[in-house]
Amino acid sequence: MNAISTSSKAVEVRNVFKNYGEVEALQDLSLDFPRGELTSLLGPSGCGKTTLLKIIAGLLPADSGEVMVNGETVTGPGPDRAFVFQDFALLPWASVIRNVAFGLELRGVGKSEREAIAEKYIADVGLDGFELKFPHQLSGGMRQRVGLARALSVDAQVLLMDEPFSAVDEQTRRKFQEDLLNLVKHENKTFLFVTHSIEEAVYVSDQIALLLPRPSRVSEIIRPSGFRDKGIDSIRRDSEYLDIVDRIWDSLRTYVE
Amino acid sequence: MKAFGYQLPAMSSLIIWGLLWELVGQLELTFFLPALSEIFITLSEIIGTKPFIKALTETGQAFFLGTFYAVTIGIPLGILMGKNRFIDELLLPWVNVFLSAPLTALVPVLMVLFGFGLKAIVITTSLFAIWIIILNARAGVKQINPALVEMAHSFGASPMDAFFKIYFWAALPEILSGVRIGFIRAVKGVIIGQLLISIVGFGALFELYSSQFLMSHFWAVLLVLFTLAFSISEFLAMLERKVEYYASKR
Amino acid sequence: MRNRTLSLKILSSVLIFGAWEVAGRVPVSFAFPTFLESMAALWTLTIEGTIFTAYVETLKPLVVGVMISAFFGIGLGVWIGLSRKFDWFVSPIFIVMQSAPLAALIPLLIMVYGIGLTSKVFVVCIMAMPVIVLNTSGAVRNTSVSIIEMGKSFLGTRREIIMKIIMPSASPIIFVGLRLGISAGFIGAILSELKITPTGVGDIISYSRSIADYPSMYAAIFSIILLAVLFLNILERVEVMIFKGINKGLVSD
């Protein structure tokens, strides 16, 4: 796992600054995201992690600095990135299949083709048979599966996930985390994952970037090495997992009000 | 909206509209729209005159009596409907009917029943305002958090205490919003009443001015009316915002 | 449960109409016919067909006015909702119009456009337009930021985001605005028939009042109110049916 060379960076963030009026959100932030891995942005609320993710997505402009995806500078949203939203951002008036196919619809893919692709990913996320249901008929967990299928179906190399599991219940969340690990293993994609849960970050990440606020900075990059290959069932009992969780909490506790 | 880095206040574009109005008036494009400056001069001339003061007091009187009845009958009735299911089911359909009914059609009836005077206009005003006040007071009581009521009971509050210390305050944001919309409707009602009865208040002034084609007189009265209406509505909106902070927290 | 609601509705109707009947029999006023007299007059108007020709006459300015208001109102509202500058410039006009007693403009409209259909259409328009504009602009402005960002992140063009995201998400509130606009339009249509020239239902009301045929006058008023209330109620039902579920599920609720 450690053998991945630093040259294969999917996303590079260079000296990014971002202010909201007087409030300093990001200050001279630089960070690399290795290809094919899952990197978590972890930190207390107000540390600018969602801001950073939206800058990488091209939804927010940085005041200065540069973001590069596959070596190309980001100027706006692009086909190389897909976003998974915290509040799912589903169209309430559209069926599951139209929601999943919506990213392709906006890219001008024909109806039959995009629905065929959508069918596949609906099945992949385990929503077989729900194609014609509407978002309000689904549980929170199922809604986020729709959001995930939508992001997967545009086949972007980089998936940006903004606290994707924070609005679903604890049990659904655990299932999601296991599914996510399988996804990272089998899909050759780079995942950027924002979360405020320490356990979740350590559980799913190849690399954790610990962000601290005021001023917002990357205080530490942690790469769990020992437990990633041991199988998902034993991770939470692994001593390295527990050590990392404790270590992160030690760094963060002073920032919690 | 920002210009040159400054936040322009809301409604400030009305100044530009005023200037445009002045321009159109100065160009004398149409007889019906005199320049704004001319209207203001006319306004300063008529504002102290007897007919104007009479119209204003007659209208004010009808408005305040009308809204007084609407509020003093509407709020208790709404609270009662919110608390008592039987009364609620009995009255709610009718409140809804009158809320959406074109009440203008009732003015002729009020005229023949109560004469061509203050009484008919007061009733028109009340009828325009009361239904939304009832509905909102009812909705305010209906949404009260049951935990609050249980809390009051658990501390042994008397029914009177529960009413004045819990129900009224918990429903206050909705009640106020009903009163605001009710007052806006009342302004419209009082003018519609006067237009149709047309021998009292501003209705009489309008008849006089339009029959003699006194355009700037007409606009001067309109400006006063619109300004008053807008001020009333903004004042009540301000009151509403003062209690909104806890309305959103429930 | 349904039965209870229904029987209470019938009970409350019986109580109100009964009170009307009793008040008419007392009588509280020479100009207050009983409920049954009024209904008999309505029956006569219906059989003669007078009431239907009157409806057509009354509804003409209403339909034309509402259509004009809907077209320009929704157009303006969308523009206001999308553009900060236009919002700053135009919104105050409609905010003032919303609170102002616009009926006061009627004498002026008569002077400018005469006493024909044009004036009546105008009255309907000034009554209906503000609520349509304000509802539309509010709905467009308040489109969930997250679904717009979603559209952007999946590379939607501005046009696509407006047509496929903003408009559908605003449509329930726009529809409410239209319904309220029609409700205000009814007030305007009847007001203009009573104030400008007596035509349609306004004519029946004015004429029967002048010859002291009060049952017919009450019948006409009763029927136009009934018509408006029924129509608006049906619209509300349709609204609930079409947009069922759309208001839900927008956020994570």
Side-chain angles (χ1 to χ4, degrees):
Chain A
M1 247 4 213
N2 269 332
I4 284 172
S5 77
T6 45
S7 64
S8 61
K9 291 173 270 189
V11 179
E12 298 164 70
V13 177
R14 295 273 165 270
N15 311 101
V16 163
F17 286 80
K18 176 78 186 174
N19 292 340
Y20 293 108
E22 302 289 294
V23 183
E24 206 166 61
L26 298 174
Q27 194 190 29
D28 197 14
L29 192 138
S30 298
L31 193 57
D32 291 335
F33 298 87
R35 189 180 307 282
E37 294 194 358
L38 189 149
T39 303
S40 287
L41 299 171
L42 175 67
S45 51
C47 72
K49 47 193 192 300
T50 295
T51 304
L52 177 60
L53 198 70
K54 288 197 169 166
I55 289 174
I56 296 171
L59 291 171
L60 282 176
D63 293 343
S64 68
E66 199 179 19
V67 173
M68 285 186 291
V69 175
N70 296 326
E72 284 183 42
T73 304
V74 167
T75 51
D80 46 4
R81 285 151 287 150
F83 207 102
V84 180
F85 293 83
Q86 180 179 7
D87 61 359
F88 321 142
L90 302 183
L91 306 176
W93 57 86
S95 59
V96 165
I97 188 149
R98 180 156 181 235
N99 264 302
V100 172
F102 193 68
L104 294 165
E105 185 180 339
L106 292 181
R107 288 183 189 188
V109 178
K111 189 173 162 75
S112 55
E113 190 186 340
R114 68 177 186 246
E115 292 199 339
I117 298 173
E119 293 270 13
K120 174 188 175 306
Y121 284 101
I122 290 172
D124 275 7
V125 299
L127 284 178
D128 248 341
F130 287 93
E131 287 85 352
L132 298 179
K133 292 273 191 275
F134 285 82
H136 67 94
Q137 297 167 306
L138 306 180
S139 69
M142 290 161 105
R143 287 183 207 172
Q144 193 53 296
R145 288 180 187 276
V146 176
L148 189 61
R150 179 177 60 196
L152 289 172
S153 67
V154 294
D155 199 25
Q157 291 117 331
V158 178
L159 250 68
L160 308 166
M161 309 176 92
D162 181 14
E163 302 193 22
F165 311 147
S166 66
V168 299
D169 64 80
E170 172 64 21
Q171 287 151 39
T172 312
R173 191 173 180 151
R174 283 205 176 204
K175 183 75 175 73
F176 263 119
Q177 291 165 355
E178 291 180 2
D179 290 353
L180 183 61
L181 283 179
N182 281 325
L183 213 57
V184 177
K185 210 172 195 174
H186 299 297
E187 299 263 345
N188 188 25
K189 293 184 195 301
T190 307
F191 293 78
L192 276 60
F193 188 89
V194 167
T195 181
H196 55 228
S197 159
I198 301 171
E199 281 85 357
E200 179 169 273
V202 181
Y203 184 77
V204 300
S205 308
D206 298 307
Q207 166 178 304
I208 304 159
L210 200 58
L211 266 63
L212 293 179
R214 295 181 292 270
S216 194
R217 64 195 184 274
V218 180
S219 84
E220 203 176 345
I221 291 178
I222 300 164
R223 295 187 63 90
S225 57
F227 57 79
R228 192 53 67 214
D229 295 326
K230 287 184 187 167
I232 51 176
D233 295 329
S234 54
I235 294 178
R236 286 195 176 85
R237 274 180 278 130
D238 192 279
S239 62
E240 190 194 357
Y241 168 87
L242 295 168
D243 287 347
I244 296 176
V245 169
D246 274 354
R247 198 168 111 210
I248 295 177
W249 173 235
D250 273 341
S251 328
L252 287 183
R253 70 191 326 155
T254 50
Y255 291 92
V256 179
E257 292 89 1
Chain B
M1 180 52 191
K2 281 184 178 179
F4 312 114
Y6 287 98
Q7 184 71 39
L8 292 172
M11 310 302 284
S12 55
S13 67
L14 285 179
I15 297 168
I16 296 179
W17 286 103
L19 291 175
L20 273 177
W21 184 344
E22 177 68 22
L23 193 71
V24 172
Q26 291 289 353
L27 292 174
E28 297 188 3
L29 291 178
T30 159
F31 160 75
F32 298 104
L33 200 67
L36 199 56
S37 53
E38 194 190 325
I39 295 169
F40 276 117
I41 293 169
T42 314
L43 180 60
S44 66
E45 284 164 5
I46 59 172
I47 204 156
T49 59
K50 227 177 190 168
F52 185 85
I53 303 253
K54 182 166 171 280
L56 196 63
T57 45
E58 277 174 356
T59 310
Q61 199 185 356
F63 177 76
F64 283 112
L65 280 174
T67 49
F68 174 79
Y69 291 131
V71 166
T72 47
I73 299 171
I75 294 177
L77 194 59
I79 293 179
L80 193 64
M81 283 171 68
K83 289 197 55 168
N84 185 312
R85 191 162 149 233
F86 180 72
I87 296 179
D88 190 37
E89 280 177 294
L90 213 54
L91 295 184
L92 189 62
W94 290 101
V95 174
N96 276 321
V97 162
F98 281 104
L99 186 75
S100 55
L103 294 168
T104 335
L106 282 179
V107 178
V109 172
L110 300 175
M111 278 157 72
V112 294
L113 287 182
F114 301 103
F116 292 68
L118 181 67
K119 219 191 219 171
I121 295 177
V122 169
I123 294 173
T124 310
T125 312
S126 291
L127 279 181
F128 266 75
I130 197 169
W131 313 107
I132 189 73
I133 295 180
I134 295 178
L135 265 192
N136 271 40
R138 170 185 178 273
V141 173
K142 285 238 156 189
Q143 59 72 40
I144 291 177
N145 183 352
L148 269 185
V149 181
E150 282 167 10
M151 182 276 290
H153 284 306
S154 76
F155 285 113
S158 68
M160 274 301 257
D161 269 356
F163 187 87
F164 282 109
K165 293 189 173 159
I166 306 282
Y167 284 102
F168 180 77
W169 291 101
L172 190 61
E174 280 82 7
I175 291 178
L176 266 182
S177 125
V179 168
R180 179 176 59 84
I181 306 173
F183 272 47
I184 294 176
R185 286 177 163 229
V187 173
K188 300 181 178 183
V190 84
I191 295 300
I192 286 175
Q194 293 190 355
L195 270 179
L196 291 180
I197 296 174
S198 79
I199 52 168
V200 270
F202 285 112
L205 273 192
F206 284 139
E207 286 296 308
L208 179 72
Y209 293 156
S210 57
S211 65
Q212 297 180 7
F213 294 96
L214 294 169
M215 278 303 133
S216 57
H217 286 70
F218 195 92
W219 279 109
V221 173
L222 276 184
L223 274 190
V224 171
L225 274 182
F226 285 15
T227 312
L228 281 178
F230 184 67
S231 311
I232 291 173
S233 129
E234 281 304 291
F235 173 72
L236 289 165
M238 199 188 71
L239 278 187
E240 209 181 318
R241 277 194 293 273
K242 284 203 165 175
V243 294
E244 226 168 38
Y245 69 93
Y246 75 76
S248 58
K249 290 260 157 65
R250 288 180 304 220
Chain C
M1 210 57 209
R2 266 198 90 79
N3 269 333
R4 179 189 148 92
T5 319
L6 186 69
S7 47
L8 270 167
K9 266 186 185 162
I10 293 171
L11 175 65
S12 82
S13 304
V14 169
L15 280 179
I16 297 280
F17 292 135
W20 180 352
E21 180 70 23
V22 170
R25 286 191 186 218
V26 170
V28 289
S29 157
F30 70 94
F32 198 86
T34 66
F35 174 66
L36 293 176
E37 278 168 6
S38 306
M39 288 306 108
L42 184 58
W43 180 243
T44 318
L45 287 172
T46 312
I47 289 188
E48 288 170 351
T50 328
I51 200 84
F52 298 113
T53 39
Y55 280 160
V56 173
E57 205 46 45
T58 304
L59 294 182
K60 216 187 294 169
L62 181 68
V63 170
V64 178
V66 164
M67 273 175 18
I68 294 174
S69 309
F71 183 77
F72 288 103
I74 293 177
L76 274 173
V78 170
W79 191 1
I80 291 173
L82 290 174
S83 155
R84 274 260 171 94
K85 286 185 183 129
F86 196 67
D87 180 19
W88 172 81
F89 189 55
V90 179
S91 282
I93 299 282
F94 289 99
I95 294 172
V96 171
M97 277 175 86
Q98 175 76 344
S99 67
L102 291 173
L105 283 169
I106 292 177
L108 191 79
L109 287 174
I110 299 175
M111 281 188 276
V112 182
Y113 296 106
I115 54 169
L117 185 66
T118 324
S119 283
K120 292 180 181 174
V121 170
F122 250 94
V123 175
V124 173
C125 283
I126 57 173
M127 297 290 215
M129 193 93 104
V131 68
I132 296 178
V133 171
L134 292 178
N135 264 48
T136 307
S137 62
V140 169
R141 200 182 298 125
N142 293 332
T143 310
S144 148
V145 177
S146 126
I147 56 171
I148 293 178
E149 279 189 339
M150 185 276 289
K152 283 187 189 155
S153 82
F154 287 107
L155 305 176
T157 58
R158 180 151 173 82
R159 199 190 139 79
E160 278 175 321
I161 288 174
I162 293 172
M163 295 312 293
K164 293 188 170 178
I165 294 177
I166 295 178
M167 286 310 286
S169 108
S171 50
I173 308 280
I174 295 179
F175 203 92
V176 172
L178 277 180
R179 177 164 54 81
L180 295 175
I182 293 172
S183 172
F186 260 108
I187 293 182
I190 294 167
L191 182 61
S192 63
E193 287 196 331
L194 293 173
K195 180 70 192 172
I196 301 177
T197 38
T199 49
V201 178
D203 184 36
I204 302 182
I205 297 172
S206 308
Y207 176 72
S208 38
R209 193 179 78 195
S210 67
I211 59 166
D213 176 8
Y214 294 115
S216 297
M217 177 185 163
Y218 279 62
I221 292 170
F222 180 84
S223 82
I224 190 69
I225 288 183
L226 190 71
L227 181 76
V229 169
L230 276 182
F231 183 65
L232 293 168
N233 259 312
I234 290 171
L235 274 187
E236 209 174 338
R237 293 263 163 91
V238 171
E239 213 171 286
V240 172
M241 232 164 59
I242 300 179
F243 299 117
K244 190 169 54 181
I246 287 193
N247 295 316
K248 292 184 277 176
L250 189 58
V251 284
S252 47
D253 62 353

